[in-house]
Amino acid sequence: QVQLVESGGGLVQAGGSLRISCVASGSTFSSYTMGWFRQGSGKEREFVAVIGWKDGDRYYGDSVKGRFTISRDNAKNTVYLQMNNLKPDDTDVYYCIADEHLPLRVGEADEYDYWGQGTQVTVSS
């Protein structure tokens, strides 16, 4: 079982950067797939990024490729999302997710068992 707590959201101007974090508690953190989804008011849930337990095993949604970077620090039980060149359309609640396995359909929200409460990211124009 895994508990997830996000932090680091806030207000940033378009073109700026922000890093959000997710701290996991539970057993065998280093073996868990972790990542991020996002959802705003009136929007569909959108896949952002996922990182597997092996280094370099990363996947990104098309809208964030080249701008966002996911990473993890297993010693701190933490996954990060570095967000650069932010756009107003990036304004959403960002949810940390985790699962025991890396699914074939990495962009499907239903594939992941554990979800955090979310952290708000607002990008002003």
Side-chain angles (χ1 to χ4, degrees):
Q1 187 176 3
V2 175
Q3 306 289 333
L4 305 172
V5 180
E6 304 95 334
S7 63
L11 175 65
V12 63
Q13 291 186 331
S17 298
L18 198 66
R19 189 176 78 162
I20 56 177
S21 303
C22 173
V23 179
S25 61
S27 299
T28 326
F29 172 80
S30 63
S31 298
Y32 276 73
T33 295
M34 298 187 69
W36 300 88
F37 282 75
R38 65 187 186 184
Q39 187 171 23
S41 179
K43 297 180 181 179
E44 296 290 320
R45 188 172 295 168
E46 182 182 16
F47 171 68
V48 177
V50 161
I51 183 168
W53 66 271
K54 289 186 175 181
D55 290 343
D57 194 6
R58 302 181 181 93
Y59 304 88
Y60 295 94
D62 290 340
S63 64
V64 306
K65 286 180 179 178
R67 299 189 297 122
F68 291 10
T69 302
I70 189 170
S71 61
R72 66 193 299 166
D73 185 341
N74 290 341
K76 298 180 179 179
N77 295 333
T78 302
V79 64
Y80 305 96
L81 186 69
Q82 178 67 46
M83 301 179 287
N84 297 328
N85 192 24
L86 284 161
K87 305 174 181 179
D89 284 347
D90 295 319
T91 296
D92 280 310
V93 177
Y94 285 71
Y95 296 93
C96 181
I97 58 90
D99 201 273
E100 295 177 351
H101 306 98
L102 179 66
L104 293 176
R105 302 187 301 166
V106 296
E108 294 293 332
D110 290 345
E111 295 284 354
Y112 303 97
D113 289 337
Y114 303 104
W115 291 73
Q117 293 294 312
T119 185
Q120 176 70 49
V121 172
T122 302
V123 184
S124 62
S125 60

